[in-house]
Amino acid sequence: MNSLYQSSIKSLPLLGHGKVRDNYAVGDDKILIVTTDRLSAFDVVMNEPIPGKGMVLNQMSDFWFEKLGHIVPNHLTGVAPESVVAADEVEQVKGRAVVAKRLKPIMVEAVVRGYIIGSGWKDYQATGSICGIELPAGLRQAEKLPEPLFTPAAKAELGEHDENISFADMESRIGAELAAKMRDISIKLYTAAADYAATRGIIIADTKFEFGLDENGVMHLMDEVLTADSSRFWPADSYAPDMSPPSFDKQFVRDYLETLDWGKTAPAPALPADVIDKTQAKYFEAIERLTGQKLKA
Ligand SMILES: Nc1ncnc2c1ncn2[C@@H]1O[C@H](COP(=O)(O)OP(=O)(O)OP(=O)(O)O)[C@@H](O)[C@H]1O
Ligand SMILES: [Mg+2]
């Protein structure tokens, strides 16, 4: 398994390093997105790669783009990543990169919640609603919501956390028509994905989509889609309400970090080898469970 902590593609202009992905310009209308093996927990990037994690994430995204392509167009171009880099850089992109249409990002993230957990649960406990959407009384932590909720968030500047906004605020930022379209498509995407995942024993508790506009103003799904990094996946067989179910993939890392006296700010503590190994195995299990196929290495 070739592992990649940070890419270094010299033949293309670097657009930036995200926490997990490295982005490069391909001409002026496309981007190369390389998913590395970096792992972030509590929003801090760990120092060790989880070998193969980037491939798993990339292949999960590809899987969903294909499966959900009938609902909305997406940013994939079909151009092989190997064809846009130099010969000695091919190893860095194999199985873990896409060449995408460079879109104009819509500066609102589309969060869909099927279950009440995380910041949604905190919000509900304090206000009886999530992001201003009123909910029935008596919901339990991690309970399935009566119907999926669309809770937009304003895209944060680098290093800041995304900020939940009301739907009315979203309308005033991007226009009512586009806001409604984004909401309706996001709910459709989530519902189709959650229904499929249920047949594979996986609960998709919530997820975040990003959209962009092409040169004709057509809305496209972009970024990563329904990966373990952008969603909460729970194994259905151990799911129960009244607790925060362990996430499918980061459970060992989070559990380990919780045993430490660490302030959850950078720098990250070193991860022991067995935590890395178990985490890697979880990612491989996740892609297999989801797609029914082993990771294509
Ligand atoms: N097809 C696309 N066209 C234009 N921008 C895109 C496209 N796909 C993704 N992006 C944007 O590229 C940016 C970089 O992505 P990335 O996720 O690597 O970093 P980040 O969002 O800054 O950090 P992180 O997600 O690690 O917290 C994001 O703002 C994302 O919305
Ligand atoms: Mg991102």
Side-chain angles (χ1 to χ4, degrees):
M1 173 64 53
N2 86 5
S3 184
L4 182 76
Y5 189 75
Q6 186 171 101
S7 66
S8 146
I9 310 277
K10 300 276 188 273
S11 59
L12 297 173
L14 177 71
L15 293 172
H17 297 285
K19 282 199 284 294
V20 173
R21 280 144 342 129
D22 299 337
N23 303 287
Y24 299 86
V26 178
D28 53 12
D29 61 347
K30 294 194 263 315
I31 55 175
L32 175 74
I33 305 176
V34 183
T35 310
T36 71
D37 293 335
R38 295 192 292 272
L39 176 138
S40 78
F42 303 110
D43 266 350
V44 176
V45 180
M46 301 293 116
N47 301 303
E48 301 81 4
I50 306 297
K53 171 188 180 252
M55 290 187 175
V56 169
L57 260 63
N58 190 63
Q59 288 174 34
M60 272 187 182
S61 240
D62 276 357
F63 173 80
W64 289 116
F65 276 130
E66 156 103 48
K67 198 163 215 43
L68 303 171
H70 63 289
I71 298 177
V72 63
N74 63 55
H75 74 173
L76 295 186
T77 60
V79 174
E82 290 85 344
S83 72
V84 302
V85 299
D88 64 349
E89 295 166 340
V90 164
E91 278 307 308
Q92 297 182 58
V93 300
K94 244 192 209 165
R96 61 167 75 248
V98 291
V99 178
K101 287 182 200 169
R102 192 165 183 176
L103 302 165
K104 182 165 163 266
I106 298 171
M107 294 309 284
V108 175
E109 304 200 333
V111 178
V112 183
R113 300 165 193 266
Y115 291 71
I116 184 165
I117 196 71
S119 68
W121 171 241
K122 285 205 187 97
D123 196 359
Y124 174 74
Q125 282 177 295
T127 67
S129 54
I130 299 183
C131 301
I133 303 167
E134 273 195 49
L135 292 169
L139 290 178
R140 296 154 69 186
Q141 184 182 25
E143 195 170 340
K144 189 173 186 186
L145 288 159
E147 55 189 351
L149 293 187
F150 178 74
T151 60
K155 266 200 199 185
E157 299 297 322
L158 208 71
E160 307 270 307
H161 283 284
D162 298 334
E163 179 206 353
N164 288 336
I165 57 174
S166 67
F167 189 71
D169 191 355
M170 176 179 180
E171 288 180 314
S172 70
R173 286 169 189 245
I174 68 166
E177 200 184 322
L178 188 57
K181 193 168 169 185
M182 238 171 100
R183 176 196 59 202
D184 296 348
I185 299 253
S186 297
I187 299 272
K188 266 194 200 149
L189 291 170
Y190 170 80
T191 305
D195 287 352
Y196 169 79
T199 69
R200 311 283 320 171
I202 295 172
I203 292 172
I204 303 176
D206 53 29
T207 194
K208 174 213 66 172
F209 300 110
E210 294 189 34
F211 295 90
L213 302 175
D214 72 3
E215 66 280 8
N216 301 314
V218 176
M219 192 178 89
H220 285 61
L221 183 59
M222 63 174 207
D223 205 62
E224 60 183 327
V225 177
L226 292 153
T227 65
D229 276 5
S230 66
S231 323
R232 278 192 182 86
F233 290 153
W234 296 335
D237 51 14
S238 59
Y239 163 78
D242 292 325
M243 59 168 201
S244 182
S247 78
F248 205 100
D249 54 317
K250 289 186 191 167
Q251 167 195 347
F252 292 110
V253 174
R254 283 166 165 271
D255 288 353
Y256 171 72
L257 294 173
E258 293 288 11
T259 67
L260 305 178
D261 182 17
W262 173 57
K264 293 176 185 155
T265 52
L271 295 178
D274 75 303
V275 173
I276 294 174
D277 291 350
K278 283 184 186 154
T279 301
Q280 180 193 42
K282 273 290 174 195
Y283 280 100
F284 292 177
E285 186 191 335
I287 187 94
E288 235 184 285
R289 236 164 117 160
L290 196 62
T291 66
Q293 282 175 8
K294 286 208 185 305
L295 179 71
K296 296 190 262 313

